[in-house]
Amino acid sequence: MTPAQGRLKTGVRESVDAAGGIERAAELVERKRSWVGEWNAQQVDKFPPVDAAAKMDAVASAMGKLPPITLAMARENGCVLIRLPEARDAEGDWLAMVGGLSAEVGDIINGIAKATADRKVDVREAAALRIEVAEGQQKLAEIDAALAAIEGAK
């Protein structure tokens, strides 16, 4: 299995787990338990079809998580996956939105400063920083949604 497939497999395993494990995921996607077991096995080069992946990811989304398979696929293709914010009215709380973005950017800068104190960023630090970056991207999406609401209101 290639490294990229390994990363996708991690997303599949997280999605199967979110769906309640192999047995419950098999029921959800209406497939044999053995098939889902192969999708879930780290060293087996088998992956769920798109319809099954979407159903399992939907469970994770309903739990407030980003959909693991979709997230892994986005990252493998050089893309960012963020949850779109709920529709807002055109009169957003701009100070709160900008303040939230500023706080997230501050967390990113602080994290980078701490991580590079030894002149290198290790795997654990990179993972933590990626979470901070994703939170910053979410704040940008909220601002974008407020701006789109203004455009749509006119």
Side-chain angles (χ1 to χ4, degrees), residues 29-84:
V29 301
E30 300 173 344
R31 301 293 203 292
K32 294 179 183 177
R33 184 190 183 289
S34 61
W35 290 4
V36 177
E38 288 180 344
W39 303 340
N40 196 56
Q42 188 68 45
Q43 300 305 319
V44 178
D45 191 14
K46 294 197 177 178
F47 295 86
V50 173
D51 64 320
K55 286 179 182 178
M56 291 186 298
D57 269 2
V59 174
S61 290
M63 296 166 63
K65 301 177 181 178
L66 288 175
I69 299 170
T70 305
L71 178 60
M73 291 174 63
R75 286 182 173 164
E76 287 307 313
N77 286 287
C79 297
V80 172
L81 181 68
I82 56 172
R83 183 174 312 284
L84 294 176

Side-chain angles (χ1 to χ4, degrees), residues 88-94 97 143-154:
R88 307 180 65 109
D89 63 27
E91 298 299 321
D93 184 349
W94 293 103
M97 286 188 287
I143 292 170
D144 185 59
L147 294 169
I150 292 170
E151 285 182 327
K154 292 185 178 186

